[in-house]
């Protein structure tokens, strides 16, 4: 089963994302802070990480930088998910190592699900397994 770590400080947004991904047979780990994300990553190696841009104890940019500097997590595709639809926010996310940037709007959750499926299909065609820990 494909695993996704979602780091989202909004409980309602996080639950919507969890539901959407679980309906597509993903195992979802939902955290609301950077600290909780690191605690989850001690025990789990997700196949995809979705980071909120703004978090209560850090921001998605800093968390992304730290993850991409850690050899255990640097190859895991990372999507920044933000209400900010500004080019400079997108540039900061890409500079931090995010692979994609998706705007939280009416179609944001659907875009995330489609993007995740596309990533996993491409990895499967390239012969890359789902778990980077194996």
């Amino acid at each position: 089963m494909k695993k996704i770590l979602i780091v989202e400080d909004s409980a309602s947004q996080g639950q919507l994302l969890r539901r959407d991904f679980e309906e597509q047979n993903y195992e979802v780990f939902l955290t609301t802070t950077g600290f909780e994300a690191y605690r989850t990553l001690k025990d789990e190696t997700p196949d995809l990480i979705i980071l909120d841009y703004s978090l209560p104890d850090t921001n998605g940019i800093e968390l992304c930088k730290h993850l991409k500097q850690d050899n255990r997590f640097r190859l895991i595709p990372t999507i920044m998910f933000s209400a900010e639809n500004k080019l400079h926010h997108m540039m900061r996310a890409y500079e931090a190592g995010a692979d994609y940037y998706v705007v939280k709007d009416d179609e944001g959750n659907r875009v995330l699900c489609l993007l995740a499926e596309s990533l996993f299909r491409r990895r499967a065609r390239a012969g890359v397994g789902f778990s980077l820990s194996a």
Side-chain angles (χ1 to χ4, degrees):
M1 182 178 282
K2 297 169 276 189
K3 299 177 182 181
I4 296 180
L5 171 63
I6 299 172
V7 187
E8 169 60 60
D9 68 332
S10 165
S12 59
Q13 179 71 46
Q15 289 304 321
L16 286 172
L17 287 169
R18 177 194 293 271
R19 184 201 67 211
D20 290 346
F21 281 108
E22 285 179 345
E23 285 177 359
Q24 295 186 34
N25 297 314
Y26 290 92
E27 184 176 358
V28 176
F29 303 98
L30 179 60
T31 66
T32 59
T33 67
F35 177 77
E36 287 177 3
Y38 274 114
R39 198 168 57 210
T40 299
L41 289 167
K42 282 182 170 181
D43 300 320
E44 299 294 337
T45 302
D47 301 295
L48 175 65
I49 300 172
I50 298 172
L51 297 176
D52 189 355
Y53 193 92
S54 299
L55 297 168
D57 60 343
T58 186
N59 63 54
I61 297 298
E62 291 304 312
L63 182 54
C64 187
K65 283 180 190 176
H66 289 291
L67 291 172
K68 295 302 181 176
Q69 292 171 357
D70 189 318
N71 286 334
R72 296 171 296 166
F73 311 119
R74 67 181 179 84
L75 297 178
I76 299 172
T78 304
I79 301 172
M80 190 71 60
F81 192 45
S82 176
E84 296 295 331
N85 191 10
K86 305 256 189 270
L87 182 59
H88 73 275
H89 285 97
M90 293 176 193
M91 294 302 298
R92 288 190 66 214
Y94 290 127
E95 289 168 357
D99 298 287
Y100 300 94
Y101 187 100
V102 175
V103 176
K104 291 180 185 178
D105 59 15
D106 295 340
E107 299 294 324
N109 287 19
R110 182 75 182 127
V111 169
L112 278 177
C113 290
L114 290 170
L115 182 55
E117 274 305 305
S118 175
L119 283 167
F120 290 127
R121 274 195 307 273
R122 276 190 273 157
R123 289 179 74 194
R125 280 195 306 265
V128 178
F130 290 116
S131 180
L132 295 171
S133 62

